[in-house]
Amino acid sequence: MKSIFQILLFVVLSANTFAQTIEGNTENFANSESLANTEIAIIPEPVTLIKQTGHFVLPSNIIIQSSKSAELTQTVAFLKERFSTPTGHFVSVIHTSSPMATFKLILNDKEDATIGAEGYQLSVNTKQVVITANKPAGLFYGVQTLLQLLPAAIESKEEVKQVKWTIPCVEIIDYPRLSWRGLMFDVARHFFTKQEVKQYIDAMVRYKYNILHLHLTDDEGWRIEIKGLPKLTEVGAWNVKRVGTFGDFIPPTAEEPRNYGGFYTQEDIKELVAYAKERFVNILPEIDVPGHSLAAIASYPELSCTPEAINYKVRSGEKIMDWSRGAPPIAMVDNTLCPANEKVYVFLDTVITQIAQLFPFEYIHLGGDEAPHNYWEKNLQIKDLMKRENLKTIPEVQGYFERRLEKIVQAKGKKFMAWDEVLEGGVSPSAAVMSWRSMKYGTEAAKANHEVVMSPTQYAYLDYMQADAITEPKVYASLRLSKVYEFDPVPADVNPIYIKGGQANLWTEQVYNIRQAEYMTWPRGFAIAESVWSPKDKKNWPNFFARTEQHFKRLDIAETKYAPSVYDPIFSVKRTADRQLSISLSTEVDGLDMYYSFDNSFPDRFYPKYTSPLAPPIDAKVLKVITYRGKNPVGRMMNMPIEELEKRAGKR
Ligand code: ACM
């Protein structure tokens, strides 16, 4: 006969196995709905999680015991604030060991080799919650995970009544796959205030990102004060405000006020760097040269090889490049710094000296992307330079420029990083490469022993539309959440030591405000976070999407915007043998129904349900579609003009 102890042991072990099955990425779940009610939904998915039976109940008097470390001040203050604001409970912090403490944040005396510098162990039982880590960063990430184990209301900015503040008992061991987990925020195309950048940092650290790449300069604005170069911010930070479709704006007249924009003073930058550091984020500054430099040239025209630069103005978004023949573009104005002009290197030395002092991060990004060739090809100064330096091609001219820049960067004690185009001109092996045009360039760079950060357009461009262009703000291309989730920054055929990590890039040509910046970042930022933090073998789309839906609720309460585009129906269209339209609808996630109308009225679940390809009735003008899960609408009303479908299907 089994003893009571054996029976109890069996019950506990079975519960563990079941919990692990839910949290692990088993293939058993046919659709995300079966996972959607899981109490535990952590993003990025931890390395190991074992669920135990029972819950820890938040006491009304919460005592946090924390190791003493100045680096932990913000982490503890953040936890204290989260525990007190939504719950209304009393929270105190102590730095000595006490049996009364129910939350313990402890730095290991002895290094735990498994978890490294950013990992942590989180143990929740019915009596206490303990997070241990080798370094403060690990405790910070443990706190992020802990908050995700609490009810979504923990994200509230005010007290929430009638919530059962409990934490499921778990044992978690977690550490990142990659050390570079970046988001790029383009504050040049549109200026975002210091407060908005802090808001962006607050959101990214919940998902364990540790690099904020600030794209500080471009044709549309120079966003950082440089002492001794006042025009960069007096002139270069301001343009004429336009809205609509960037790239096609009507060129501003001389009379229109140039009062749209802004910049960060050096004091602002110091504040942002400190804010980021307290949250274990390094800020990577980017000064984008030699292309994308119209704001600098409008400020100091002598930096250009082109005499007409004297009339150039900071761009609003009017057409300045012709991309019809692909890359490099044909420039209609010369937005490049002149590599044959010594003044340019003096200018860049001044800029890089101050950037190096302001940003403690070891890398400085110097752009290098999309520099047009057509002005340089015709320029006499460039021709002389080519003769003098024995440069055979225009990419070699850029290579010469980049090598000189790298020397300046190194002289300031920093490492040089640039976009992958710089590989074309023969950059030095010590240059770090950010691969954006595809994984291919990063792969080649890693094979040539360059350090590489992968941020390919195919998976990691957050400026791309998240669904159909009829609902999303129009940009060049689309990139759906499920595709982003396929991102694997480490190619199979390279030595992984050269792949520092991965990054998603939010370019802001079409992003006019911080709410839209958030909309473009989430939920795709969840997918990238998981690609750079979680073990590769844990990838499982239904499981990820179920957790994503739980995080939608969290972001709702945190009042962080996100895109619901993943629920939108996908339209595909072809012509039948008799040249009629045949419209197919599908969804990115399983378990949704689509209801439609052709009669201009708004479909709901009492309308026809989509089951097979549709032929529009004669004279129909619009196909309206909405997605439901069971009785609840989840998608947005899609209004697809039949004329648009005719266009997509091609010639009749
Ligand atoms: C880039 O997207 N031009 C780096």
Side-chain angles (χ1 to χ4, degrees), residues 292 369-370 419 436 461 507:
H292 288 275
D369 58 320
E370 299 178 319
W419 299 110
W436 74 278
Y461 262 42
W507 301 102

Side-chain angles (χ1 to χ4, degrees), residues 34 144 167 193 371 415 425-426 432 445 448 456 501 534 541 554 558 597 623 628:
S34 54
Q144 302 307 324
I167 307 172
T193 64
K415 292 188 184 172
S534 306
W541 166 251
R554 287 178 179 270
S597 77
L623 167 60
Y628 271 65

Side-chain angles (χ1 to χ4, degrees), residues 19-33:
Q20 283 185 58
T21 310
I22 288 182
E23 274 306 296
N25 287 317
T26 131
E27 300 297 325
N28 292 342
F29 293 97
N31 64 51
S32 59
E33 218 172 338

Side-chain angles (χ1 to χ4, degrees), residues 184 189 215 286 288 292 323 365 369-370 419-421 434 436-437 455 457 461 463-464 505 507:
M184 190 215 71
R189 267 48 181 274
H215 182 75
E286 181 189 354
D288 197 355
H292 288 275
W323 284 95
H365 196 306
D369 58 320
E370 299 178 319
W419 299 110
D420 59 58
E421 282 97 326
M434 195 169 264
W436 74 278
R437 289 178 296 170
S455 61
T457 54
Y461 262 42
D463 56 327
Y464 285 7
N505 298 331
W507 301 102

